[in-house]
Amino acid sequence: MREPISKLAYSVEEFAHVVGLSRNHAYALVRGGEVRAVKAGSRWIIPIKAVERWLEGQESRDTSSKV
């Protein structure tokens, strides 16, 4: 029996859902280069690692603004 394959990337819609953003805001982050994404045909694919790095950046931004 094969082991399930874990996801390596999200669609923009999945990214928006996972991090709690609107679809439009998620697309704006991708288009603005704030979240690293790969264009695959007509779709944007966001690597899981890119989501993790973006979240870590948001966390450090929040922490530094409270100092």
Side-chain angles (χ1 to χ4, degrees):
M1 182 181 253
R2 292 184 187 182
E3 291 196 29
I5 298 173
S6 54
K7 276 190 140 213
L8 298 175
Y10 292 125
S11 67
V12 176
E13 290 82 4
E14 290 170 327
F15 164 65
H17 178 75
V18 167
V19 298
L21 299 173
S22 72
R23 181 178 173 268
N24 287 340
H25 190 108
Y27 271 104
L29 290 172
V30 169
R31 282 191 301 269
E34 293 182 55
V35 177
R36 188 174 67 84
V38 177
K39 186 84 170 184
S42 62
R43 296 185 63 202
W44 285 102
I45 306 296
I46 305 168
I48 300 292
K49 294 286 186 191
V51 174
E52 293 169 351
R53 280 193 297 275
W54 180 78
L55 285 170
E56 288 167 1
Q58 298 307 301
E59 187 176 88
S60 66
R61 187 184 307 177
D62 287 348
T63 303
S64 64
S65 67
K66 293 179 182 176
V67 174

